[in-house]
Short mmCIF file of all heavy atoms in Angstrom, two decimals:
data_model
loop_
_atom_site.label_atom_id
_atom_site.label_comp_id
_atom_site.label_asym_id
_atom_site.label_seq_id
_atom_site.Cartn_x
_atom_site.Cartn_y
_atom_site.Cartn_z
N ALA A 11 4.19 20.76 7.28
CA ALA A 11 2.87 20.36 7.75
C ALA A 11 1.77 21.25 7.20
O ALA A 11 0.61 20.89 7.23
CB ALA A 11 2.83 20.38 9.27
N ALA A 13 1.51 22.32 3.96
CA ALA A 13 1.16 21.96 2.59
C ALA A 13 0.57 20.55 2.57
O ALA A 13 1.21 19.62 3.01
CB ALA A 13 2.39 22.01 1.69
N ASP A 18 1.23 17.80 -3.69
CA ASP A 18 2.58 17.40 -4.05
C ASP A 18 2.52 16.12 -4.90
O ASP A 18 2.28 15.05 -4.36
CB ASP A 18 3.39 17.17 -2.78
CG ASP A 18 4.84 16.80 -3.05
OD1 ASP A 18 5.24 16.80 -4.24
OD2 ASP A 18 5.55 16.50 -2.08
N VAL A 31 2.44 -1.50 -5.18
CA VAL A 31 3.51 -2.50 -5.05
C VAL A 31 3.12 -3.57 -4.04
O VAL A 31 3.30 -4.77 -4.30
CB VAL A 31 4.85 -1.82 -4.67
CG1 VAL A 31 5.88 -2.85 -4.25
CG2 VAL A 31 5.37 -1.01 -5.85
N LEU A 48 -2.85 8.86 -11.20
CA LEU A 48 -2.35 10.06 -10.54
C LEU A 48 -2.93 11.27 -11.27
O LEU A 48 -2.22 12.11 -11.74
CB LEU A 48 -0.81 10.08 -10.57
CG LEU A 48 -0.13 11.27 -9.91
CD1 LEU A 48 -0.26 11.19 -8.41
CD2 LEU A 48 1.32 11.32 -10.31
N ASP A 61 -14.60 -9.79 -0.79
CA ASP A 61 -15.83 -10.45 -0.38
C ASP A 61 -15.82 -10.59 1.14
O ASP A 61 -14.94 -11.24 1.70
CB ASP A 61 -15.92 -11.82 -1.03
CG ASP A 61 -17.16 -12.59 -0.65
OD1 ASP A 61 -18.14 -11.96 -0.20
OD2 ASP A 61 -17.15 -13.82 -0.81
N ASN A 68 -11.21 -16.50 6.03
CA ASN A 68 -9.79 -16.69 5.74
C ASN A 68 -8.98 -15.58 6.39
O ASN A 68 -8.89 -14.47 5.86
CB ASN A 68 -9.59 -16.71 4.22
CG ASN A 68 -8.20 -17.09 3.82
OD1 ASN A 68 -7.23 -16.86 4.55
ND2 ASN A 68 -8.07 -17.67 2.64
N VAL A 75 -5.37 -8.15 2.84
CA VAL A 75 -6.19 -7.04 2.32
C VAL A 75 -6.03 -5.82 3.23
O VAL A 75 -5.86 -4.69 2.76
CB VAL A 75 -7.66 -7.46 2.16
CG1 VAL A 75 -8.55 -6.26 1.86
CG2 VAL A 75 -7.80 -8.50 1.06
N ALA A 84 1.28 3.67 6.02
CA ALA A 84 2.64 3.21 6.35
C ALA A 84 3.68 4.03 5.60
O ALA A 84 4.70 4.43 6.17
CB ALA A 84 2.78 1.73 6.03
N GLU A 101 -13.64 2.55 0.56
CA GLU A 101 -14.09 1.15 0.52
C GLU A 101 -12.97 0.17 0.87
O GLU A 101 -13.21 -1.00 1.06
CB GLU A 101 -14.70 0.79 -0.83
CG GLU A 101 -13.78 0.91 -2.01
CD GLU A 101 -13.76 2.28 -2.65
OE1 GLU A 101 -14.41 3.20 -2.15
OE2 GLU A 101 -13.07 2.42 -3.66
N ARG A 102 -11.75 0.65 1.00
CA ARG A 102 -10.61 -0.18 1.39
C ARG A 102 -10.05 0.28 2.74
O ARG A 102 -8.86 0.14 2.99
CB ARG A 102 -9.51 -0.12 0.32
CG ARG A 102 -9.88 -0.74 -1.00
CD ARG A 102 -9.68 -2.23 -0.96
NE ARG A 102 -10.12 -2.84 -2.20
CZ ARG A 102 -9.66 -3.98 -2.66
NH1 ARG A 102 -8.75 -4.63 -2.01
NH2 ARG A 102 -10.14 -4.49 -3.76
N LEU A 112 -14.56 -9.52 11.63
CA LEU A 112 -14.24 -10.21 12.87
C LEU A 112 -15.53 -10.54 13.62
O LEU A 112 -16.41 -9.70 13.76
CB LEU A 112 -13.34 -9.34 13.75
CG LEU A 112 -11.93 -9.07 13.20
CD1 LEU A 112 -11.19 -8.12 14.12
CD2 LEU A 112 -11.16 -10.36 13.02
N ASP A 114 -15.33 -12.72 16.65
CA ASP A 114 -14.97 -13.01 18.04
C ASP A 114 -14.81 -11.70 18.81
O ASP A 114 -14.03 -10.83 18.41
CB ASP A 114 -13.66 -13.80 18.05
CG ASP A 114 -13.27 -14.30 19.42
OD1 ASP A 114 -14.05 -14.09 20.37
OD2 ASP A 114 -12.19 -14.90 19.53
N GLU A 117 -11.24 -10.72 19.55
CA GLU A 117 -10.49 -10.14 18.43
C GLU A 117 -10.86 -8.68 18.23
O GLU A 117 -10.01 -7.87 17.89
CB GLU A 117 -10.76 -10.93 17.14
CG GLU A 117 -10.02 -12.25 17.07
CD GLU A 117 -10.21 -12.93 15.72
OE1 GLU A 117 -11.34 -12.94 15.20
OE2 GLU A 117 -9.21 -13.44 15.21
N LEU A 125 -4.19 -3.66 13.98
CA LEU A 125 -3.92 -2.66 12.96
C LEU A 125 -2.49 -2.11 13.08
O LEU A 125 -1.82 -1.89 12.07
CB LEU A 125 -4.94 -1.52 13.04
CG LEU A 125 -6.33 -1.85 12.52
CD1 LEU A 125 -7.32 -0.78 12.93
CD2 LEU A 125 -6.31 -2.04 11.02
N VAL A 148 7.79 6.85 -10.21
CA VAL A 148 8.32 7.61 -11.35
C VAL A 148 7.47 7.34 -12.60
O VAL A 148 7.12 8.27 -13.33
CB VAL A 148 9.81 7.28 -11.59
CG1 VAL A 148 10.28 7.80 -12.93
CG2 VAL A 148 10.66 7.83 -10.47
N ALA A 158 -2.20 -2.79 -14.51
CA ALA A 158 -1.56 -3.85 -13.73
C ALA A 158 -0.30 -4.38 -14.41
O ALA A 158 0.70 -4.66 -13.76
CB ALA A 158 -2.55 -4.99 -13.50
N VAL A 165 7.93 -3.34 -11.41
CA VAL A 165 8.38 -4.08 -10.23
C VAL A 165 9.43 -5.12 -10.64
O VAL A 165 10.47 -5.25 -9.98
CB VAL A 165 7.19 -4.74 -9.50
CG1 VAL A 165 7.67 -5.74 -8.45
CG2 VAL A 165 6.30 -3.68 -8.87
#
Side-chain angles (χ1 to χ4, degrees):
D18 182 4
V31 168
L48 180 71
D61 180 20
N68 188 331
V75 170
E101 62 271 4
R102 293 277 176 155
L112 294 176
D114 187 4
E117 283 186 317
L125 286 167
V148 167
V165 169

